Amino acid sequence: CGQPLPYAACCGPWHEGPQYLQAPTAEALMRSRYSAFVLGRHDYLLATWHGSTRPTSLDFDPCARWLGVEVRAHINIGSAAAEVEFVARMRVAGKAVRLHERSRFVLEAGRWFYVDGDQL
């Protein structure tokens, strides 16, 4: 997820166990969602996607090889909303692909949810 920590000390606790779905900040949720993409964790991605914009299913490109993510900005908008700008890099069928997005998150009932994002 771009942090210099092992998975078990970073995103792992949000993916399973007693802290499942309890990322403490929008940035932590975004990083854990990136890790979920890398690991093919459809369940986690859907569970952390806000119900107002959540798709019914997800399709992963089996040829995608995720290479890293860089968080460029994390902005709190009040106490229950935030935006995270990031750049994720991957290789698909030998081609470099870059996803640059400003994602919107909301905090509801103590949990952060991904709402949507604008590609930059």
Side-chain angles (χ1 to χ4, degrees):
C1 73
Q3 298 287 21
L5 297 168
Y7 172 75
C10 191
C11 296
W14 320 136
H15 288 177
E16 55 191 50
Q19 294 179 304
Y20 179 61
L21 303 176
Q22 299 300 314
T25 66
E27 181 179 345
L29 180 62
M30 189 285 309
R31 289 180 182 281
S32 70
R33 285 176 55 83
Y34 170 82
S35 293
F37 272 104
V38 172
L39 298 169
R41 295 283 311 261
H42 295 87
D43 60 326
Y44 185 80
L45 291 165
L46 291 171
T48 57
W49 208 312
H50 194 267
S52 67
T53 57
R54 181 186 310 126
T56 54
S57 65
L58 296 171
D59 291 321
F60 287 102
D61 185 336
C63 298
R65 183 170 160 252
W66 294 91
L67 303 172
V69 66
E70 172 192 354
V71 173
R72 298 241 173 123
H74 175 207
I75 302 162
N76 288 323
I77 303 166
S79 61
E83 291 183 352
V84 179
E85 180 184 347
F86 68 91
V87 176
R89 296 176 299 106
M90 69 185 106
R91 192 167 289 287
V92 178
K95 295 178 112 178
V97 178
R98 196 172 166 259
L99 172 63
H100 186 180
E101 182 175 298
R102 182 176 299 116
S103 299
R104 284 176 284 282
F105 297 85
V106 294
L107 181 64
E108 291 184 354
R111 278 186 50 204
W112 283 100
F113 292 91
Y114 169 78
V115 178
D116 60 14
D118 296 320
Q119 291 196 17
L120 304 172

